[in-house]
Amino acid sequence: MPRDRKAVLLDFGSTHTKVAVVSPREERILFSGCTASTVKSDARLGLRRCLEMARDVLSAAEFDGALKLASSSAAGGLRMAVIGLSRSLSVTAGRSAAFGAGGKILATLAGRIKEPELAGLAAEKVEIILFCGGYERGSEAALLHNAALLAASSLQAPVIYAGNSFAAAKVRSLLASGGKECFIADNIIPSVGVLNTAMAESIVREIFLKRIINMKGLDGVRGMLDGILMPTPSAVLAAGELLARGCDGEKGLGELIIFDVGGATTDVHSFAEQRPYDGARFIGAAEGFAKRTVEGDLGLRESSVLVAEGAGTAKLAADAAVSDAFMAEAVARRVADNSFLPATREERRVDSALASYCVHAAARRHAGCIEHTASVGCKLLQRGKNLGGVKNIIGTGGPLINNEDPAALLKEALRKGGERDVLLPETAALYADGSYMLYAMGLLACHEPKAALGIMKKSLEALS
């Protein structure tokens, strides 16, 4: 890509269609903006509005020659289910692969599945099924049982099989006999302590490009763009990994965690090597350098009632310095009106209390932990990733960026004094993505990684 060529980078979401205009040569964001999403009616309408914004920034020649790329999280993103054999191994590894590909996991099933469970997946309108389990050359009985039930079910979603490869041909044959579309990927856990999700993630993204986008009403915009490359979460993962690792001799920030707090979910992305905690034996599924989790019960609008149930209305009220009755009414307002914006000091404190709990809880679900045992020779077990060495935490999303004290919210991700067994950092440098540019830099990284890295390093706002 010529360095003087501009880039117009878009994201199709369920609420907004966003646009960023970038100069790779200058390593600078020229413009960022958004408009209400029109994906449910005609995605071209929102696209045209965003392109008009870009035209106002660029000359006619620059606009015509600009690279135009997009990501999408429309209609809730990729609605996936994971079917595995063991919850601590194949299901955990499958969830990691699904989240890494940008999926939204609606259900997970483990062991020998039953017909009513598959009926539940149909009711959830699952769009992709990731079917995994078993080490190489291991037992095939449970896998073939699950494949037969999937074949006989009413589910029409494509199935990605990423389990014991020695059963792959039989699984494919069973699914084909039931008229199911089946893709074969490498076994995501071929042996103890090994995680191999790249091929499964790639297939998920390919299905997204070829099938799911058409279902979201985005097929009409393809001719107006150079490409719709990936689900939005995948773009953020790509940006985060580039920012952490660096490229072309340009250093990154080092290991980091990104928190994206929204109305319905809180997404956490971490970029850190798997390292053992001193004296602990690792158990469970291995985890890669880049990890994403999505907490569907942690959000400030439609999920706020679940936050209140988890944290307790009284505690949230105390944190926000409002009465219990006010907090209960405030939560009800947010559930009834997902577009609610706080106009008073009390309502802003309510949002802060909700966001604080979301960051605190999501961080501890995402990070690994230490379990104490009475076993001879091994007193400590490590489950999950040790993030204790991470030195950078980044916040993005409206509830964090627009908060009066985003640093205080991000500090909720740090390990507290009494939390001996939580594998989170005690201190970290804190940053805000005030430009909402992470999705855009993930797109740009496919063509101009060094420019994308430079823009991120310049654009992140250091918090005190």
Side-chain angles (χ1 to χ4, degrees):
M1 174 179 170
R3 289 282 286 179
D4 58 348
R5 185 185 186 190
K6 303 301 190 289
V8 178
L9 308 164
L10 301 111
D11 178 63
F12 292 94
S14 294
T15 305
H16 293 102
T17 297
K18 297 185 285 291
V19 60
V21 182
V22 170
S23 171
R25 182 178 61 81
E26 300 174 88
E27 295 185 354
R28 187 163 67 94
I29 298 175
L30 304 176
F31 171 80
S32 63
C34 67
T35 187
S37 178
T38 60
V39 169
K40 292 182 180 178
S41 54
D42 186 341
R44 289 171 293 189
L45 300 176
L47 174 63
R48 289 190 183 112
R49 292 170 192 162
C50 285
L51 292 181
E52 285 303 314
M53 296 179 198
R55 286 181 189 275
D56 290 340
V57 178
L58 303 174
S59 69
E62 286 176 329
F63 179 83
D64 290 341
L67 177 70
K68 301 177 183 71
L69 302 173
S71 58
S72 174
S73 58
L78 293 167
R79 300 165 63 86
M80 295 184 63
V82 176
I83 299 175
L85 298 184
S86 164
R87 288 205 175 273
S88 63
L89 291 173
S90 59
V91 169
T92 298
R95 287 174 62 86
S96 178
F99 281 138
K104 177 180 180 180
I105 299 176
L106 301 184
T108 56
L109 305 178
R112 288 176 175 261
I113 58 178
K114 300 176 178 62
E115 290 181 8
E117 292 177 313
L118 294 184
L121 299 188
E124 291 277 7
K125 298 181 180 178
V126 166
E127 295 171 330
I128 299 175
I129 296 170
L130 180 59
F131 175 22
C132 54
Y135 296 134
E136 293 294 88
R137 299 182 184 275
S139 173
E140 302 176 6
L143 291 169
L144 298 180
H145 165 85
N146 290 349
L149 281 188
L150 276 169
S153 74
S154 63
L155 286 164
Q156 296 302 311
V159 178
I160 302 170
Y161 176 71
N164 178 358
S165 66
F166 289 83
K170 298 173 187 174
V171 167
R172 186 199 290 272
S173 178
L174 283 167
L175 291 171
S177 70
K180 303 297 186 287
E181 186 176 16
C182 177
F183 300 83
I184 302 297
D186 293 338
N187 190 351
I188 60 175
I189 46 167
S191 58
V192 178
V194 176
L195 184 67
N196 180 27
T197 63
M199 187 174 180
E201 291 179 17
S202 177
I203 293 173
V204 171
R205 295 187 189 112
E206 285 299 314
I207 294 174
F208 170 80
L209 289 171
K210 294 177 181 178
R211 296 172 56 106
I212 305 303
I213 285 179
N214 293 339
M215 296 170 64
K216 304 302 186 192
L218 300 180
D219 54 318
V221 307
R222 284 189 169 189
M224 305 168 71
L225 301 168
D226 292 302
I228 298 178
L229 294 182
M230 61 185 80
T232 307
S234 293
V236 175
L237 271 173
E241 185 159 3
L242 174 63
L243 183 59
R245 292 188 186 275
C247 72
D248 298 333
E250 181 75 19
K251 286 186 177 180
L253 293 184
E255 295 185 340
L256 57 90
I257 308 172
I258 299 171
F259 288 88
D260 184 354
V261 180
T265 68
T266 294
D267 289 23
V268 186
H269 306 75
S270 66
F271 306 87
E273 300 291 352
Q274 178 87 307
R275 64 171 63 89
Y277 182 83
D278 290 344
R281 178 169 63 86
F282 186 83
I283 58 173
E287 295 182 349
F289 178 81
K291 175 185 176 181
R292 169 179 173 253
T293 54
V294 180
E295 305 303 337
D297 61 340
L298 299 177
L300 270 65
R301 294 297 178 262
E302 51 261 62
S303 297
S304 60
V305 66
L306 300 175
V307 174
E309 290 175 4
T313 298
K315 181 184 185 309
L316 290 174
D319 291 345
V322 298
S323 68
D324 291 6
F326 185 94
M327 177 58 71
E329 292 169 2
V331 167
R333 277 192 292 275
R334 286 157 173 77
V335 174
D337 179 10
N338 296 166
S339 62
F340 173 84
L341 294 175
T344 67
R345 185 172 298 175
E346 290 79 9
E347 289 287 11
R348 288 193 289 272
R349 291 203 302 265
V350 168
D351 264 10
S352 291
L354 292 167
S356 178
Y357 179 80
C358 288
V359 172
H360 183 92
R364 282 145 187 82
R365 296 180 192 178
H366 182 92
C369 64
I370 294 298
E371 299 175 3
H372 298 263
T373 73
S375 301
V376 176
C378 181
K379 301 297 184 183
L380 300 176
L381 300 176
Q382 176 183 335
R383 189 183 298 277
K385 189 186 287 188
N386 181 0
L387 299 178
V390 170
K391 299 301 182 185
N392 305 282
I393 297 177
I394 299 170
T396 190
L400 283 172
I401 300 305
N402 298 322
N403 193 271
E404 294 175 356
D405 191 358
L409 300 183
L410 290 178
K411 286 178 182 177
E412 288 298 317
L414 300 175
R415 181 163 62 91
K416 309 299 182 185
E419 294 181 306
R420 292 188 307 145
D421 302 330
V422 176
L423 298 180
L424 286 167
E426 292 183 344
T427 61
L430 306 177
Y431 301 90
D433 171 28
S435 302
Y436 298 98
M437 50 79 183
L438 289 174
Y439 84 87
M441 295 305 101
L443 291 170
L444 184 63
C446 297
H447 294 264
E448 287 282 354
K450 192 170 183 180
L453 176 60
I455 290 170
M456 286 190 283
K457 291 169 75 172
K458 292 176 183 178
S459 301
L460 287 175
E461 176 190 353
L463 303 174
S464 57

